[in-house]
Structures are given as structure tokens and as C-alpha cells.
Amino acid sequence: TEDEIILFEREMKEFWTKLKNIYGTEQINQTLALRDSCKESINALSEKWSKKLKEGDLMIDKIQEYSNEILQQSQRIPENQKHLTEIKSNLNQEEDQKKDLTDSIQELKEELMKKKEIISSKNKATKERVERLCKSKVLFEERLGLEIRRIHNEQLQFIFRHIDHKDPDKPYVFTLSINEQGDYEVTSCTPPLDCIAEFQLKVRETNNFSAFVANIRKAFTALSYK
């Protein structure tokens, strides 16, 4: 009947509605479960990538810091190179000065050694000449009535007596040295003689010392008669 058909259709609709509801609920549950799973995965990934991003940010900051430091170092390189060049230049100058100083010191040492050798040679020659003069002492004393004394600074003092017949003990004295040039030099004469410079020049030319002493005694003798 028509009522039965209507009832059947209503039951069918209810059945399909229930079937859809049952099927839809399971799908919804599955979808929700999948959604929750995806959400958890997304949260985990978000947390992981957030951590990665933070680490990346820190890495970027560190890289930027290193970059700034490298830039600063790069900017200081020309200044450091200039300073290094100045240091090298100063070192080279100091080396040159050191070499010049060493050469000068060596030259001074060599010059000093030469001067020492010359002085030593002159001193040796002077002592030898003084010794020869002293060896002539006996001869002079016996023949000329002369006394010879060695005094300070390697000088010899010649004392004549028996010249003044009125006063035989009266001394007539002159002092002799050998100068830096190795020449005889009269440093004092008492009483003074005008001809002493002439006698001194002559003995330097002839090196005849005996004649030099004899001439001075003659001059003293002539002076005593005035």
C-alpha cells in the first residue's frame, strides 16, 4: 500500500542515515586521529626546525661576528704592513750603524795598537839612548869634571864643576831630555847660555853628543871669565 511504501522509504532513509552516520563517524575519527598525528608531527617538526632556525641564527650571528673581525683585521693590514716596513727600515739602519760603529772601533783599535807600538818603540829608543849616556858618565866625569844625574821623567841633569877658577865647586848645570820626536832637548840651563839653542840644533843634526857636551862646557867656561 501507499502507507507501507512511505514507511519503507522512511525506514530506508533512516537506515542510510544511520549507515552514513556510522561510516561518517569512523571517517571522522580516523581523520581526527590522522589530523592529531599530523599535528603532532608538525609540532615536532616545527619544534625541531625552530631549534634549527635558532641554531642557524646563532651561527649567522657568529659568522657575522667573524666577518666583522676579519674586516677589521683586513682594514688593519695596510697599517700593520706600514709599521712592519718602518720596523724593517729601522732595523736596517741600526744594522748599518752597528757595522759602521764596529768598523770605526776596529780602526780605532788598529790605530791605538800602532800608536802603542810607536810609543813603545820610542820609549825603548829613549831608554837605550839614556842608558848610553849613563855609560858615558865615567868618561865625562874623568875628562870634563862632570856629574850626571838621572832625574824625573827620564831626564838627565849635567853638573859641571871646576870651571870657575875662583870657585871650583860652583855648579854649572843643564838638564836634557829626549822629546816625542826622539830629539835631544835642553829643558833648563843655569846659568843661561845664549848659544844653547845653536848647540841643541847641531847635536840633532850630527848626533855627536860628546861634542855637544864639550861645547856647552866651553861656553860655561867662557862665561866664567866675563
Side-chain angles (χ1 to χ4, degrees):
T1 63
E2 185 177 354
D3 293 332
E4 290 177 345
I5 292 172
I6 292 172
L7 180 62
F8 175 75
E9 288 178 352
R10 186 169 59 249
E11 290 177 353
M12 286 297 296
K13 287 180 180 180
E14 291 177 356
F15 171 77
W16 283 111
T17 297
K18 290 180 181 179
L19 182 62
K20 287 180 180 180
N21 289 336
I22 294 171
Y23 181 76
T25 300
E26 291 178 356
Q27 281 295 102
I28 289 171
N29 290 335
Q30 291 178 0
T31 300
L32 291 175
L34 181 60
R35 184 197 65 182
D36 294 338
S37 177
C38 290
K39 188 175 182 180
E40 290 177 359
S41 299
I42 290 171
N43 289 335
L45 287 173
S46 296
E47 184 178 354
K48 180 178 180 180
W49 283 109
S50 178
K51 184 177 180 181
K52 291 289 185 182
L53 287 173
K54 290 180 180 179
E55 292 177 353
D57 291 338
L58 291 175
M59 184 65 69
I60 290 172
D61 292 340
K62 185 62 70 174
I63 291 172
Q64 185 63 40
E65 182 180 347
Y66 289 155
S67 298
N68 293 336
E69 185 176 351
I70 291 172
L71 179 60
Q72 292 177 358
Q73 293 291 342
S74 300
Q75 291 174 347
R76 286 196 293 265
I77 286 175
E79 181 180 352
N80 292 336
Q81 287 179 340
K82 181 180 178 181
H83 185 57
L84 181 60
T85 301
E86 291 177 354
I87 291 175
K88 287 182 178 179
S89 177
N90 292 334
L91 287 175
N92 291 334
Q93 291 179 1
E94 289 179 359
E95 285 296 328
D96 293 340
Q97 292 175 356
K98 181 180 178 182
K99 184 178 182 302
D100 292 341
L101 181 60
T102 302
D103 293 341
S104 298
I105 291 174
Q106 184 62 32
E107 290 177 0
L108 289 174
K109 284 183 178 179
E110 293 175 358
E111 185 177 354
L112 181 60
M113 289 298 296
K114 290 179 180 178
K115 288 184 177 180
K116 284 184 177 179
E117 291 175 359
I118 293 172
I119 292 172
S120 177
S121 177
K122 287 183 177 180
N123 288 339
K124 183 178 179 182
T126 299
K127 288 182 179 180
E128 289 176 353
R129 295 178 77 173
V130 170
E131 290 297 330
R132 287 198 299 269
L133 292 176
C134 289
K135 289 179 181 179
S136 302
K137 176 180 179 181
V138 176
L139 176 63
F140 290 139
E141 287 180 347
E142 291 176 353
R143 295 188 181 183
L144 302 176
L146 174 65
E147 179 185 356
I148 302 175
R149 298 176 182 174
R150 180 181 290 184
I151 60 176
H152 60 279
N153 296 329
E154 296 296 330
Q155 295 186 102
L156 293 178
Q157 189 178 66
F158 294 78
I159 306 171
F160 294 98
R161 300 183 190 278
H162 306 293
I163 289 180
D164 189 347
H165 62 283
K166 297 180 181 179
D167 186 3
D169 291 330
K170 180 180 178 180
Y172 289 75
V173 183
F174 78 92
T175 303
L176 187 71
S177 68
I178 298 175
N179 61 25
E180 293 182 356
Q181 289 73 34
D183 297 325
Y184 293 113
E185 182 174 349
V186 177
T187 58
S188 66
C189 182
T190 306
L193 295 173
D194 295 336
C195 55
I196 196 70
E198 179 184 348
F199 293 159
Q200 180 177 270
L201 180 61
K202 190 170 183 179
V203 73
R204 290 178 181 179
E205 293 175 349
T206 64
N207 203 31
N208 190 339
F209 188 75
S210 297
F212 170 70
V213 175
N215 287 333
I216 290 180
R217 189 179 192 283
K218 289 178 183 179
F220 279 144
T221 300
L223 185 64
S224 68
Y225 284 103
K226 292 184 179 180

